[in-house]
Amino acid sequence: MSNHRRFITAPLVAATAAAGLALTAACGTDNSSTPAPADTSASEKAQQEKKADSSPKSERADLTRFRLDDRSQAGITDIWVVWTVKNTSAKKSNYRIDWEAVDSHGTRVANSTEFVTDVQPGQTTTGESPTTLHSAQGVKLNITSFDRTAAY
């Protein structure tokens, strides 16, 4: 009886893998990226908000800050990515932020995904995650994908 189960499992695994490959090929990939938003002073932020109020907003504009924070001390590397999201939509929202860190030679040295959930309309939230980076010097952050979806 146990040999019969293994025989059925192998075709099922193969069919699942084939379906996954077909779906990946059909959906394609978008390898483009955009620079992370730069930290700006309070007066620059006020000017940007005035401009944003007069033009239609994209969901990408909800990511108001995304940067590295080097907390290393006493010879111990401790580099975090920190972000601020402001929900400019009329619905409670979830966010997915895919990012990469690129060194001065253009080599990707880290990448990850951040999830922000249940942000109320008009609400601003901040977050942070540790990275595997060994240095923040000369590293540029790029947002490779940003997605806002309605939260229920």
Side-chain angles (χ1 to χ4, degrees), residues 33-37 60 63 66 97-99 141-146:
S33 63
T34 59
R60 175 63 173 79
L63 183 62
F66 199 85
I97 308 163
D98 295 328
W99 62 271
L141 284 177
N142 294 318
I143 306 302
T144 57
S145 178
F146 184 86

Side-chain angles (χ1 to χ4, degrees), residues 24-68:
T24 301
C27 292
T29 58
D30 180 7
N31 293 329
S32 63
S33 63
T34 59
D39 274 344
T40 55
S41 68
S43 63
E44 288 175 355
K45 283 183 182 179
Q47 289 174 356
Q48 287 176 353
E49 287 176 8
K50 280 184 181 180
K51 286 181 186 177
D53 288 340
S54 63
S55 62
K57 295 179 183 176
S58 74
E59 64 185 35
R60 175 63 173 79
D62 285 6
L63 183 62
T64 60
R65 180 179 68 146
F66 199 85
R67 66 177 179 84
L68 292 174

Side-chain angles (χ1 to χ4, degrees), residues 75-112:
I76 298 172
T77 303
D78 189 21
I79 302 172
W80 291 65
V81 63
V82 295
W83 66 88
T84 302
V85 172
K86 180 175 182 176
N87 184 353
T88 60
S89 76
K91 296 180 180 179
K92 182 168 69 167
S93 299
N94 295 326
Y95 297 87
R96 176 186 166 147
I97 308 163
D98 295 328
W99 62 271
E100 68 179 359
V102 180
D103 69 11
S104 60
H105 302 292
T107 303
R108 182 166 63 180
V109 292
N111 68 307
S112 191

